[in-house]
């Protein structure tokens, strides 16, 4: 580390100059037969692995990923989830929004800066490829000499996912058919890419399932007694909300989506797709045995077995099964503890980023299911989202506005809407219009949940915003009250996040500054829901974006701009 001494008038200050590094990765994306839950199926891998290689860097480093698409018949794109891409909006990796897809056989170079420490993710952002295994973790460390507001001895990353045996194409065909065919519940929950499917089930072809395969032996995390471990837990489920639990151990939540949390203790960590948390655990239990790590589906009535891993206390053998049954976990339909955890997450008292006290624009987004021309869709304010053929960033920058609908989407929905009933939604439509935000203004988003097309049913939706963090101002049950509920906002120490949950028949309020020039997706992180239209796009300050690289072009009306 170098030091700079700056003297102004009579005062001299010493600044540390951290020499940022450039970290190169060379990845090949291709299909391989894998058995992560003992059942053999095609998975999308990076250099033969799923989860893919972890990216570990320090704040300020430049990441360069040379990505070769060897899928032969499929396009691909990778989103760097939680990385704001300040100054590089074309590297967000969102096909149809910030770039054209990477064609089979092509190599694309992603290059961006990780500008702040924290726990982040990467995953496919083309179709529903994420759930086929194309994902991994990003760990951004503080510069040398700086410390965090908590202490630990060891640092580990764990990714939670759900796993389907049907291909993403089979699922997509069902979602796009008349009659509608739902994807159903996942076959397994994977902890760090490993789960367990019952190969003895009727109708399972023996050659397709091998319960003794080493590929599906439980993930084992070996720990030393008497230490403190930081577990960076990320969820990239396609559908499921999860309760994460470590038998006999409490967890202290200290980070959420890259921001320090005023610490609080939980037995079960509720985590939704797209979220990351850091928790501290103390290995202070008996070292004569191992302990279960579980991930159980909540929020949906399901028959999927909980994901199981092993906390291995050294010197026990890693394959030694814990002597007790795995924890049962909370009831799937018990909403109270999930809402309670959401409300408990506040910014660490020494790391509060004060939110603007007022906003310039309020957009209320009602999430509903709709039938549009006989197709089952998800909608925001009765508008179901479709991606255009020409990515928005290219269209705005090169004045190709004819490539998508220029009618502005609605900022609100009818105040007479009954969120507790199955809505007729007779006026629902599809569109690829974008919200245009005035640069550097403050925007409030109210996410309002409602009844689905099934009576007395409302689902859990995790919403993810690209290119920004937002302040989570509040949660509530029932219909949002525009007059009284804003008076309950937390404007003192709200946590900042990039992904937030909307609970069944409830609302969530968030606030962000439209200060990152570009075009950014905001969508439900459930794969099938986004595929079915549950998302929007924000444009802000595109006139401030620099010259776009030709490598992101080559599709739609941008075909003529691409030069290999």
């Amino acid at each position: 580390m170098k030091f700079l001494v700056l003297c102004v008038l009579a005062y001299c200050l010493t600044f540390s100059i951290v020499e940022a590094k450039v970290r190169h990765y060379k990845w090949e994306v291709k299909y391989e037969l894998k058995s992560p839950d003992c059942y053999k199926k095609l998975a999308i891998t990076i250099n033969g692995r799923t989860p893919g290689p972890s990216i570990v860097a320090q704040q300020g480093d430049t990441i360069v990923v040379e990505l070769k698409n060897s899928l032969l018949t499929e396009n691909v794109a990778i989103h760097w989830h939680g990385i704001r891409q300040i100054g590089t909006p074309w590297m967000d990796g969102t096909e149809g929004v910030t770039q054209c897809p990477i064609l089979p056989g092509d190599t694309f170079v992603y290059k961006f800066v990780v500008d702040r420490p924290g726990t982040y993710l990467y995953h496919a952002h083309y179709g529903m490829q994420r759930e086929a295994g194309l994902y991994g973790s990003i760990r951004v460390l503080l510069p040398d000499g700086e410390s965090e507001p908590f202490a630990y001895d060891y640092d580990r990353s764990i990714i939670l996912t759900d796993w389907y045996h049907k291909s993403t194409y089979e699922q997509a065909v069902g979602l796009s058919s008349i009659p509608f065919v739902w994807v159903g519940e996942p076959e397994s929950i994977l902890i760090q890419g490993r789960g367990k499917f019952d190969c003895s089930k009727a109708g399972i072809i023996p050659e397709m399932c091998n319960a003794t395969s080493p590929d599906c032996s439980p993930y084992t995390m070996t720990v030393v007694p008497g230490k403190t471990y930081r577990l960076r837990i990320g969820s990239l489920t396609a559908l499921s909300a999860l309760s994460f639990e470590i038998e006999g151990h409490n967890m202290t939540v200290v980070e959420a989506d890259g921001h320090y949390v005023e610490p609080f203790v939980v037995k079960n960590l509720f985590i939704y797709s797209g979220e990351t948390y850091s928790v501290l655990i103390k290995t202070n239990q008996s070292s004569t045995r191992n302990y279960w790590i579980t991930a159980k589906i909540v929020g949906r009535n399901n028959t999927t077995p909980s994901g199981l891993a092993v906390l291995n206390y050294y010197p026990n053998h890693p394959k030694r099964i814990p002597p007790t049954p795995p924890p049962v976990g909370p009831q799937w339909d018990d909403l109270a503890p999930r809402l309670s955890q959401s409300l408990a997450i506040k910014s660490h008292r020494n790391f509060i980023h004060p939110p603007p006290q007022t906003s310039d624009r309020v957009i209320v987004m009602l999430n509903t299911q709709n039938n549009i021309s006989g197709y089952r869709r998800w909608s925001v304010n009765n508008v179901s989202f479709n991606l255009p053929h020409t990515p928005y960033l290219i269209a705005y920058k090169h004045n190709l506005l004819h490539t998508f609908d220029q009618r502005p989407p609605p900022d609100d929905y009818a105040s007479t809407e009954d969120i507790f009933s199955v809505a007729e939604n007779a006026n629902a439509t599809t569109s690829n219009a974008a919200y245009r935000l005035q640069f550097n203004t403050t925007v409030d988003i109210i996410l309002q949940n409602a009844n689905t097309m099934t009576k007395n049913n409302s689902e859990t939706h995790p919403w993810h915003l690209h290119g920004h963090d937002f302040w989570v101002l509040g949660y509530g049950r029932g219909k949002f009250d525009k007059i009284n509920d804003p008076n309950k906002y937390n404007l003192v120490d709200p946590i900042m996040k990039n992904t937030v949950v909307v609970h069944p028949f409830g609302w969530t309020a968030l606030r962000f500054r439209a200060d990152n020039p570009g075009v950014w997706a905001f969508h439900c992180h459930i794969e099938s829901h986004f595929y079915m239209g549950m998302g929007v796009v924000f444009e802000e300050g595109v006139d401030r974006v620099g010259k776009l690289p030709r490598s992101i072009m080559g599709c739609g009306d941008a075909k003529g701009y691409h030069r290999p």
Side-chain angles (χ1 to χ4, degrees):
M1 183 181 295
K2 294 181 179 179
F3 295 91
L4 170 68
V5 179
L6 177 64
C7 296
V8 180
L9 297 178
Y11 297 92
C12 291
L13 301 174
T14 302
F15 297 92
S16 62
I17 301 176
V18 179
E19 296 182 42
K21 296 179 180 178
V22 179
R23 300 180 185 268
H24 291 266
Y25 298 85
K26 194 170 184 176
W27 290 355
E28 183 181 15
V29 174
K30 61 181 178 179
Y31 272 110
E32 292 194 7
L33 283 168
K34 295 288 184 181
S35 306
D37 69 344
C38 308
Y39 185 91
K40 188 184 295 184
K41 67 164 280 190
L42 283 172
I44 302 179
T45 64
I46 298 176
N47 299 346
R49 296 165 54 185
T50 176
S54 295
I55 290 176
V56 180
Q58 282 185 298
Q59 180 181 2
D61 286 353
T62 296
I63 306 299
V64 179
V65 178
E66 185 181 327
L67 184 75
K68 182 181 180 183
N69 179 6
S70 295
L71 294 181
L72 301 181
T73 59
E74 290 183 43
N75 301 329
V76 77
I78 290 186
H79 169 54
W80 314 97
H81 185 113
I83 307 301
R84 292 173 294 178
Q85 300 294 348
I86 296 170
T88 52
W90 48 80
M91 289 295 161
D92 188 53
T94 313
E95 182 272 331
V97 179
T98 61
Q99 72 168 98
C100 292
I102 306 165
L103 302 178
D106 279 1
T107 296
F108 183 91
V109 177
Y110 286 103
K111 183 177 181 180
F112 55 90
V113 173
V114 287
D115 65 306
R116 70 217 155 108
T119 305
Y120 309 105
L121 303 161
Y122 68 82
H123 59 79
H125 219 295
Y126 178 83
M128 296 196 296
Q129 285 179 340
R130 185 183 87 222
E131 64 177 80
L134 183 47
Y135 61 85
S137 64
I138 302 173
R139 187 189 306 177
V140 183
L141 309 175
L142 282 168
D144 293 339
E146 296 187 25
S147 59
E148 290 167 302
F150 46 85
Y152 51 93
D153 300 299
Y154 300 100
D155 200 343
R156 301 282 188 270
S157 294
I158 298 175
I159 297 184
L160 310 175
T161 49
D162 44 16
W163 191 246
Y164 287 89
H165 292 170
K166 281 187 176 181
S167 73
T168 59
Y169 285 99
E170 289 178 277
Q171 293 188 14
V173 167
L175 296 174
S176 306
S177 295
I178 301 177
F180 174 75
V181 181
W182 175 234
V183 298
E185 300 300 317
E187 273 75 25
S188 307
I189 300 297
L190 307 185
I191 299 178
Q192 199 57 22
R194 298 189 173 206
K196 204 77 171 179
F197 178 72
D198 184 1
C199 290
S200 65
K201 282 190 173 182
I204 299 300
I205 303 170
E207 291 78 13
M208 297 299 292
C209 207
N210 179 7
T212 61
S213 169
D215 291 346
C216 60
S217 59
Y219 169 69
T220 299
M221 188 174 75
T222 300
V223 295
V224 177
K227 301 294 183 180
T228 299
Y229 283 78
R230 177 184 186 170
L231 307 185
R232 299 173 185 258
I233 305 164
S235 172
L236 284 174
T237 52
L239 174 67
S240 312
L242 297 175
S243 168
F244 179 85
E245 184 174 351
I246 303 175
E247 180 188 12
H249 296 73
N250 286 331
M251 295 175 280
T252 303
V253 181
V254 293
E255 180 218 348
D257 290 0
H259 291 274
Y260 298 131
V261 170
E262 187 64 21
F264 65 98
V265 177
V266 296
K267 178 185 175 186
N268 305 87
L269 178 73
F270 297 106
I271 185 168
Y272 308 93
S273 181
E275 288 191 316
T276 63
Y277 289 98
S278 284
V279 299
L280 302 181
I281 66 164
K282 293 184 182 298
T283 51
N284 55 9
Q285 300 302 299
S286 171
S287 60
T288 62
R289 53 162 291 186
N290 291 337
Y291 298 84
W292 290 112
I293 301 172
T294 65
K296 175 186 179 178
I297 295 178
V298 292
R300 301 183 65 86
N301 194 359
N302 67 93
T303 57
T304 308
S306 296
L308 296 177
V310 174
L311 186 70
N312 167 227
Y313 265 68
Y314 182 83
N316 293 299
H317 194 282
K319 294 189 182 298
R320 185 179 180 186
I321 298 299
T324 47
V328 175
Q331 290 293 318
W332 71 268
D333 58 351
D334 188 357
L335 177 60
R338 287 185 273 143
L339 182 58
S340 178
Q341 180 189 292
S342 294
L343 292 168
I345 302 173
K346 314 288 186 188
S347 284
H348 190 286
R349 65 186 66 182
N350 297 331
F351 294 89
I352 295 172
H353 300 276
Q357 295 298 292
T358 59
S359 64
D360 301 300
R361 183 176 179 182
V362 178
I363 304 175
V364 184
M365 296 184 172
L366 175 69
N367 305 325
T368 58
Q369 270 187 343
N370 305 67
N371 271 330
I372 302 176
S373 302
Y375 295 94
R376 181 69 57 90
R377 302 282 296 183
W378 280 99
S379 300
V380 174
N381 297 342
N382 279 345
V383 177
S384 186
F385 179 70
N386 283 330
L387 282 168
H389 295 296
T390 305
Y392 292 95
L393 183 61
I394 302 170
Y396 276 115
K397 191 66 180 171
H398 288 277
N399 200 29
L400 302 173
L401 301 185
H402 62 277
T403 58
F404 62 94
D405 190 350
Q406 292 301 301
R407 291 171 295 179
D411 275 22
D412 207 339
Y413 61 93
S415 59
T416 56
E417 191 88 36
D418 179 5
I419 68 165
F420 297 102
S421 299
V422 177
E424 293 182 7
N425 298 315
N427 60 338
T429 184
T430 58
S431 175
N432 54 21
Y435 286 91
R436 304 200 73 167
L437 307 177
Q438 188 175 342
F439 186 70
N440 218 23
T441 57
T442 300
V443 182
D444 280 3
I445 304 293
I446 314 300
L447 293 164
Q448 174 69 68
N449 218 335
N451 206 101
T452 66
M453 299 196 76
T454 303
K455 194 174 181 180
N456 298 321
N457 173 257
S458 183
E459 299 195 3
T460 301
H461 300 290
W463 277 75
H464 171 57
L465 178 59
H466 294 225
H468 302 78
D469 290 333
F470 49 73
W471 291 274
V472 182
L473 302 184
Y475 302 85
R477 295 194 180 197
K479 192 171 182 178
F480 180 73
D481 183 333
K482 298 177 186 177
I483 303 300
N484 296 310
D485 283 335
N487 297 326
K488 305 171 189 174
Y489 288 170
N490 176 9
L491 298 174
V492 178
D493 57 355
I495 190 64
M496 296 193 79
K497 296 182 97 272
N498 62 61
T499 305
V500 72
V501 66
V502 191
H503 294 291
F505 292 116
W507 57 265
T508 299
L510 56 97
R511 177 171 291 174
F512 71 98
R513 295 284 294 176
D515 58 1
N516 191 6
V519 186
W520 309 104
F522 180 47
H523 61 94
C524 179
H525 215 254
I526 292 173
E527 286 280 65
S528 50
H529 290 184
F530 185 40
Y531 179 83
M532 294 165 64
M534 198 174 192
V536 300
V537 163
F538 296 127
E539 179 275 328
E540 60 197 62
V542 165
D543 56 312
R544 299 165 183 260
V545 173
K547 185 178 179 181
L548 302 182
R550 291 191 179 275
S551 60
I552 70 168
M553 304 184 193
C555 59
D557 278 27
K559 283 181 180 176
Y561 293 83
H562 182 58
R563 297 288 185 277

